[in-house]
Amino acid sequence: MKGQKYDEDKVNERHRDHALFIAYAPADDPKIAVAILVENGGHGGSTAAPIARQVFDYYLLGKEPPPPKPTVREPEQEQEND
């Protein structure tokens, strides 16, 4: 990636940023702390934070997360600079 501007849409998935989110709850009397790392996930706030929210909801409220939606991945086109 040297000498190139980072553009997530143009970068091969394996070269994308990792998403990281660390939190604890509840704020006034912590009962749980989590660290979520999504490899090549992009941004922590949009990728890792929703996962942390589901963990908190389950642990603190007993609310089970919905089952994951099936995903269909498009084959990645190899970038010239790989």
Side-chain angles (χ1 to χ4, degrees):
M1 298 283 327
K2 290 183 181 179
Q4 297 177 1
K5 182 173 165 79
Y6 179 78
D7 183 352
E8 183 177 320
D9 296 328
K10 295 179 182 176
V11 175
N12 190 295
E13 183 178 352
R14 67 183 180 165
H15 295 298
R16 293 183 186 158
D17 290 341
H18 301 311
L20 176 64
F21 188 81
I22 301 170
Y24 61 89
D28 54 346
D29 185 20
K31 305 271 189 253
I32 182 173
V34 297
I36 307 292
L37 173 67
V38 181
E39 196 170 304
N40 306 115
H43 308 283
S46 60
T47 305
I51 297 169
R53 173 64 186 261
Q54 288 184 344
V55 172
F56 288 141
D57 286 351
Y58 179 77
Y59 185 84
L60 297 170
L61 306 175
K63 181 179 172 184
E64 292 204 26
K69 296 177 185 174
T71 58
V72 177
R73 294 185 63 168
E74 297 292 325
E76 288 188 37
Q77 294 180 355
E78 289 296 317
Q79 298 283 329
E80 290 181 20
N81 296 335
D82 282 348

